[in-house]
Amino acid sequence: PFVAAHALGLLDAINLLVVNEIEHEALLQHLNTNTDALSCDVLVTRGSRGAELISTGSTLTQAAVAVSPVDTTGAGDTFLGSFLGRVDCGDSHVDALNYAAHASAIQVTREGAADAIPTSAEVLAALS
């Protein structure tokens, strides 16, 4: 479970904090501040409402891809892994967020968690 007090000591040592919307609110309440006051970028996942990448002075918003979910287990992990993988490949944050949204949309239409993660070819086909 997320404990806001435990995250505080890490904030100055990281570039990107990834939290879901409930964890994000808990952290901000604990700090009694807003996201702009944090010393790192923050990626907030919001399930079927998409995600936001909050950096100093800017916010990128990514809508979720509309699908009929079968099993949402692993959707956040798929989103994060896909986002980080695409950033590591040199994609812009905008493109990486879009890729991640499509990857997690495909994943939730299948049963299971790790076995349901789509291949890169499947995601690229969905993007085209």
Side-chain angles (χ1 to χ4, degrees), residues 71-82 100 103-108 110-118:
D71 184 353
T72 60
T73 306
D77 293 332
T78 298
F79 185 92
L80 177 58
S82 297
S104 58
I106 294 168
Q107 193 267 345
V108 301
R110 302 171 176 174
E111 290 286 340
D115 292 342
I117 297 171

Side-chain angles (χ1 to χ4, degrees), residues 26-101:
L27 181 63
L28 296 183
Q29 286 179 2
H30 186 80
L31 293 172
N32 195 30
T33 190
N34 62 33
T35 305
D36 288 336
L38 300 179
S39 58
C40 59
D41 293 344
V42 181
L43 177 58
V44 183
T45 59
R46 300 186 184 281
S48 64
R49 292 191 328 278
E52 290 179 326
L53 178 60
I54 306 165
S55 301
T56 304
S58 69
T59 299
L60 296 174
T61 301
Q62 175 63 52
V65 176
V67 295
S68 296
V70 172
D71 184 353
T72 60
T73 306
D77 293 332
T78 298
F79 185 92
L80 177 58
S82 297
F83 172 77
L84 293 174
R86 295 313 306 173
V87 168
D88 190 51
C89 287
D91 284 8
S92 70
H93 286 155
V94 170
D95 289 343
L97 286 169
N98 189 43
Y99 182 97

